[in-house]
Amino acid sequence: MLLIKDTLVSLDLVERFFVCDLDTCLGQCCIDGDAGAPLLQEEKEAIDANIDTILPLLNPAAQRIIKEEGTSYIDEEGDLVTQIVEGRDCVFTTYAEGGKCLCALEKAYREGKLPQLKPSSCHLYPVRLKKYGDLTAVNLHRWKICKCAEIMGRTKKIRAYEFLREPLIRKFGREWYDELSRTASEWLSQHP
């Protein structure tokens, strides 16, 4: 682990290669799992404040669930998570040609229709955060559906922390990311 400000960063984030390969996995992380995506309260509030712009971007089943039950719920573990459709898809899931799963929030952000509303848990994936007192552990979650992302990362020679630059900056700030980048470079030069 590397200590970066008030975080403990897993060496996997620095050493492992990773680049999402949406053409191969088809966005399986948005539809597999036992609950919706974890949400922070402020993320829920921002999504709810923009719901009139978001609803038309979603499929009819997702629109109905949001109108009847809201954008989120508390799961079995007591966490605030996005609603899911038919026990499977995140409520913000849309599909492109060929069955590729896309996040409606991310798509609208990239098109300039919305501010960045994608839950940080999704934006950061495959990073998972866990609090330990005053420290936050920054871990790389490994899942078989992301094997293609590890292969693509290795092919392109892009480390996980480099691929996740934008969401890591969004979560921790540019100064934190710059320190991580410097520390990672030093670590990798000493441990090739």
Side-chain angles (χ1 to χ4, degrees):
M1 302 286 276
L2 302 173
L3 181 63
I4 308 294
K5 302 203 180 293
D6 59 352
T7 63
L8 291 172
V9 179
S10 165
L11 287 174
D12 278 350
L13 186 64
V14 169
E15 295 175 340
R16 294 210 170 265
F17 295 97
F18 192 95
V19 171
C20 280
D21 184 358
L22 198 54
D23 290 331
T24 301
C25 74
L26 302 177
Q28 198 68 27
C29 60
C30 294
I31 54 178
D32 274 1
D34 55 3
L39 276 173
L40 300 173
Q41 183 62 37
E42 57 267 24
E43 292 171 340
K44 176 200 179 333
E45 291 168 6
I47 289 169
D48 290 348
N50 287 277
I51 200 62
D52 291 339
T53 304
I54 296 168
L55 276 175
L57 308 173
L58 306 177
N59 70 50
Q63 291 179 24
R64 181 181 40 76
I65 287 171
I66 289 173
K67 288 175 183 174
E68 292 173 4
E69 302 176 33
T71 56
S72 59
Y73 68 100
I74 304 296
D75 71 4
E76 292 177 1
E77 296 176 8
D79 296 323
L80 181 65
V81 296
T82 61
Q83 288 286 359
I84 53 176
V85 178
E86 298 172 6
R88 183 180 163 170
D89 293 5
C90 170
V91 76
F92 301 112
T93 297
T94 61
Y95 288 92
E97 209 172 294
K100 188 184 299 184
C101 173
L102 301 173
C103 174
L105 301 175
E106 176 76 10
K107 188 173 182 290
Y109 167 70
R110 299 234 179 255
E111 293 171 355
K113 296 177 182 173
L114 286 170
Q116 179 57 277
L117 297 175
K118 187 174 189 175
S120 57
S121 65
C122 300
H123 201 194
L124 282 166
Y125 195 79
V127 162
R128 288 293 186 227
L129 306 177
K130 186 167 175 83
K131 290 294 277 178
Y132 291 100
D134 293 337
L135 296 174
T136 300
V138 182
N139 294 304
L140 190 68
H141 179 245
R142 297 191 67 208
W143 194 8
K144 66 181 177 185
I145 65 171
C146 291
K147 186 69 177 165
C148 58
E150 293 181 28
I151 292 167
M152 183 175 282
R154 197 172 302 109
T155 300
K156 294 186 173 198
K157 298 184 181 351
I158 297 174
R159 307 281 179 167
Y161 80 94
E162 295 168 319
F163 174 74
L164 295 165
R165 181 180 186 275
E166 179 185 340
L168 288 169
I169 289 172
R170 175 185 175 204
K171 181 67 180 174
F172 297 110
R174 183 170 305 280
E175 186 179 316
W176 180 93
Y177 183 83
D178 290 346
E179 183 176 335
L180 171 64
S181 187
R182 282 190 305 275
T183 305
S185 293
E186 289 171 22
W187 175 264
L188 292 168
S189 71
Q190 295 171 17
H191 304 86

